[in-house]
């Protein structure tokens, strides 16, 4: 007999606030991420996860305890930890002879695994090996995806969406030039290699109003190799990407813009009687006694004609 899950009802005001914070919202904030250690992680894998965790902070949790599990065979532990930490993203590091320096990145939907992608770190240079100034934690990075393979390969297309979810933060309406300080570059090739680089933006004097841009590599520098994938079905992925009705913009009818950006609108109005239109009252526009007399006689004739017509019909 199936077990019926108990519906949690808040008793206190604080409990109600906690349950409301866990409910889905039309506009979600930055997604939380949890990083786990898998079976026998290597030193390169641990450092790599730690660097990605530093880039994701403060919207991440790093767990250093080893866990004896294989995500592609049993993902119950990941679902449990994501539910406990209220995280939609996860990263798992492992190492074996068949798959050395293995990194698994994925995300969940409705407390279940949505998709997972396995990457192999063939080359790695840690952030600590770059002896220069780093960017502050919590900055919104600029993501750059180089290469046509991101749009041609289905696995790379889903990996691009996954990287965007990992490093996406608050939605901004406008961008200030001095606010762009961090760039994450992802270059993909046809053979499944992904080159991950991190740069700091330096604004130099150019003698003009627009400064000269220079990029300084601050790490980490990782060469990934695409391995196994476990992608969601098209129906489930479409359900996960569904936009709420509250967020969809309302279409305004009869409004358009011309080539210069001016807003043009069309207004539908009923037929107007110009004779009954109220205008400004002025002495010069007043009717003379002769005009008033003619209007009175005209109305009198109309009333008499209407009475005659009624008598004829009777």
């Amino acid at each position: 007999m199936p077990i019926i899950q108990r519906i949690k009802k808040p008793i206190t005001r604080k409990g109600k606030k906690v349950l409301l914070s866990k409910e889905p919202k039309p506009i979600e904030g930055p997604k939380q991420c949890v990083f786990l250690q898998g079976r026998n992680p290597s030193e390169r894998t641990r450092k790599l996860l730690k660097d990605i965790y530093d880039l994701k902070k403060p919207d991440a949790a790093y767990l250093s305890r080893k866990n004896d599990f294989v995500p592609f065979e049993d993902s119950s532990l990941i679902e449990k930890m994501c539910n406990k930490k209220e995280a939609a993203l996860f990263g798992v590091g492992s190492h074996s002879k068949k798959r050395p320096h293995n990194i698994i990145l994925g995300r969940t939907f409705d407390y279940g695994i949505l998709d997972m992608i396995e990457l192999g770190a063939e080359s790695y240079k840690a952030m600590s090996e770059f002896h220069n100034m780093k960017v502050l934690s919590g900055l919104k990075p600029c993501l750059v995806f180089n290469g046509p393979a991101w749009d041609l390969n289905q696995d790379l297309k889903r990996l691009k969406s996954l990287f965007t979810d990992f490093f996406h933060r608050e939605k901004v309406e406008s961008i200030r030039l001095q606010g762009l300080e961090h760039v994450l570059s992802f270059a993909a090739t046809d053979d499944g290699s992904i080159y991950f680089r991190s740069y700091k933006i330096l604004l130099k004097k150019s003698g003009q109003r627009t400064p000269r841009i220079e990029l300084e590599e601050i790490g980490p520098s990782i060469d990934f190799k695409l391995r196994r994938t476990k992608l969601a079905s098209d129906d489930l992925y479409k359900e996960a990407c569904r936009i709420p009705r509250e967020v969809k913009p309302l279409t305004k009818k009869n409004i358009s813009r011309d080539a210069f950006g001016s807003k043009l609108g069309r207004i539908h109005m009923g037929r107007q009687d110009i004779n009954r239109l109220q205008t400004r009252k002025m002495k010069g526009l007043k009717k003379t006694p002769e005009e008033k007399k003619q209007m009175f006689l005209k109305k009198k004739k109309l009333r008499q004609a209407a009475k005659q017509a009624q008598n004829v019909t009777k």
Side-chain angles (χ1 to χ4, degrees), residues 115-157:
D115 46 18
M116 291 188 296
I117 297 178
E118 190 178 69
L119 303 171
E122 295 186 344
S123 177
Y124 169 65
K125 190 175 180 181
M127 192 184 299
S128 58
E129 298 181 25
F130 294 87
H131 303 286
N132 49 17
M133 293 293 293
K134 312 300 180 185
V135 296
L136 296 175
S137 177
L139 282 178
K140 187 179 180 66
C142 178
L143 305 182
V144 180
F145 293 92
N146 302 308
W150 291 111
D151 299 324
L152 300 177
N153 193 336
Q154 185 64 28
D155 295 340
L156 290 177
K157 188 183 294 185

Side-chain angles (χ1 to χ4, degrees), residues 9-196:
K9 292 185 178 180
I11 301 175
T12 60
R13 183 179 179 182
K14 185 177 180 180
K16 183 179 181 181
K17 189 176 180 180
V18 170
L19 290 179
L20 287 175
S21 65
K22 293 182 180 181
E23 290 183 356
K25 304 174 183 62
I27 301 177
E28 296 284 350
K31 293 184 178 180
Q32 301 294 320
C33 182
V34 58
F35 293 96
L36 304 170
Q37 301 291 341
R39 183 183 298 172
N40 298 325
S42 61
E43 186 67 22
R44 179 189 296 184
T45 304
R46 283 195 293 266
K47 288 184 178 180
L48 195 152
L49 280 183
K50 196 70 169 59
D51 283 349
I52 298 178
Y53 164 71
D54 291 336
L55 295 176
K56 181 65 178 171
K57 283 191 309 187
D59 306 315
Y62 183 82
L63 306 179
S64 58
R65 182 180 177 181
K66 295 181 181 180
N67 301 280
D68 189 9
F69 75 107
V70 181
F72 277 86
E73 296 178 5
D74 184 15
S75 59
S76 58
L77 180 62
I78 295 178
E79 295 174 355
K80 180 181 177 182
M81 295 304 299
C82 289
N83 188 16
K84 181 180 179 181
K85 298 291 183 179
E86 298 181 15
L89 305 169
F90 64 88
V92 181
S94 62
H95 177 73
S96 64
K97 185 177 180 180
K98 187 177 180 180
R99 294 182 178 87
H101 314 299
N102 203 40
I103 299 294
I104 299 174
L105 301 178
R107 50 191 167 182
T108 62
F109 172 69
D110 198 14
Y111 304 105
I113 298 295
L114 181 66
D115 46 18
M116 291 188 296
I117 297 178
E118 190 178 69
L119 303 171
E122 295 186 344
S123 177
Y124 169 65
K125 190 175 180 181
M127 192 184 299
S128 58
E129 298 181 25
F130 294 87
H131 303 286
N132 49 17
M133 293 293 293
K134 312 300 180 185
V135 296
L136 296 175
S137 177
L139 282 178
K140 187 179 180 66
C142 178
L143 305 182
V144 180
F145 293 92
N146 302 308
W150 291 111
D151 299 324
L152 300 177
N153 193 336
Q154 185 64 28
D155 295 340
L156 290 177
K157 188 183 294 185
R158 194 67 63 88
L159 181 60
K160 177 182 177 181
S161 174
L162 184 60
F163 277 138
T164 306
D165 271 354
F166 253 87
F167 300 105
H168 175 74
R169 296 191 188 274
E170 296 84 0
K171 186 179 180 181
V172 294
E173 301 295 336
S174 59
I175 300 175
R176 189 169 63 96
L177 188 60
Q178 286 76 13
L180 291 175
E181 301 181 21
H182 191 199
V183 174
L184 294 178
S185 174
F186 304 91
T189 59
D190 296 333
D191 59 347
S193 298
I194 299 102
Y195 301 101
F196 176 85

Side-chain angles (χ1 to χ4, degrees), residues 6 26 40 52 87 91 111 138 161 218 225 233 244 253 256 264 272 280 300:
R6 181 173 60 88
N40 298 325
I52 298 178
Y111 304 105
S161 174
I218 60 174
K225 187 69 175 180
S233 61
K253 297 181 179 179
S256 60
L264 305 177
Q272 294 181 339
R280 185 179 177 184
K300 187 176 180 181

Side-chain angles (χ1 to χ4, degrees), residues 1-7:
M1 183 177 179
I3 301 174
I4 300 175
Q5 294 183 353
R6 181 173 60 88
I7 299 174

